[in-house]
Amino acid sequence: MIRTAPVTATLCLALALAGCQRLGYGGSRPAALPATPTPPVSSQPLEPLDPVQQGQAGAPLDGTMPDGSGTQVAGGAPLSTTAPAGAREIGRSDMLGGWSLASGSDNCKLFMTLTTWSGGYRANSRGCTSPAMQKISAWDLQGKQVILKDDTGATVAQLYATSAESFNGRASTGAPISVYR
């Protein structure tokens, strides 16, 4: 056993030195890779968007009915566009990130970004059982009102801020809906 101690110590030292060379602490270093050429970047000012952009079937992407009578919903009936008393002012950045969504038997997650998409900004839901809540694809802010939309631009729900972290309203099915953190 006395003879195995020097052999073990020598092996450990050899392995440690091999590891140092592999990590670049000794010996030669590998050659650096050449830089990848990239094309020059150019910039131009963007043209302003047409305020009345047309969506599918000629409906404006802002969600209003062609006759201006409210907000288009999946069932075709307009929802109310008047803010309830006590509705709070909100900004787009107030809506960003993950939220909990509760409507009927649904308790799921809602995620909102500022990535532009037809009808507003990108949104998606996770874990919802209701077909209407599963189809949330976009959101838009119109005054004090937050409108959740599906991929066709039809309104899924209308919400108003009751606090900085809570929004309440109605789904297009008529069911109450709450979005909160």
Side-chain angles (χ1 to χ4, degrees):
M1 281 204 168
I2 298 174
R3 298 189 137 231
T4 59
V7 172
T8 304
T10 305
L11 274 173
C12 288
L13 182 60
L15 287 173
L17 289 174
C20 289
Q21 287 180 339
R22 180 156 174 86
L23 295 174
Y25 293 116
S28 64
R29 293 187 179 198
L33 296 175
T36 304
T38 59
V41 177
S42 64
S43 66
Q44 301 174 14
L46 295 175
E47 295 180 27
L49 294 176
D50 183 7
V52 183
Q53 293 179 342
Q54 296 297 311
Q56 293 183 357
L61 293 178
D62 66 0
T64 59
M65 297 292 282
D67 63 359
S69 64
T71 301
Q72 177 183 346
V73 295
L79 291 174
S80 170
T81 57
T82 22
R88 299 174 55 135
E89 291 287 334
I90 49 175
R92 290 182 302 184
S93 60
D94 297 332
M95 302 306 300
L96 300 179
W99 296 82
S100 295
L101 184 148
S103 179
S105 62
D106 264 323
N107 283 310
C108 49
K109 295 293 181 186
L110 175 66
F111 302 93
M112 293 189 250
T113 69
L114 280 180
T115 304
T116 56
W117 200 67
S118 65
Y121 302 97
R122 196 80 171 109
N124 61 49
S125 60
R126 294 282 187 260
C128 297
T129 57
S130 160
M133 297 303 137
Q134 289 175 350
K135 292 181 182 180
I136 294 173
S137 298
W139 70 275
D140 197 13
L141 184 60
Q142 295 179 2
K144 295 180 180 181
Q145 182 181 56
V146 177
I147 301 172
L148 301 178
K149 300 178 180 186
D150 66 14
D151 59 351
T152 67
T155 298
V156 174
Q158 291 178 310
L159 304 161
Y160 292 95
T162 53
S163 74
E165 303 288 315
S166 177
F167 294 80
N168 294 307
R170 290 262 172 223
S172 60
T173 61
I177 182 171
S178 294
V179 174
Y180 57 92
R181 291 190 213 227

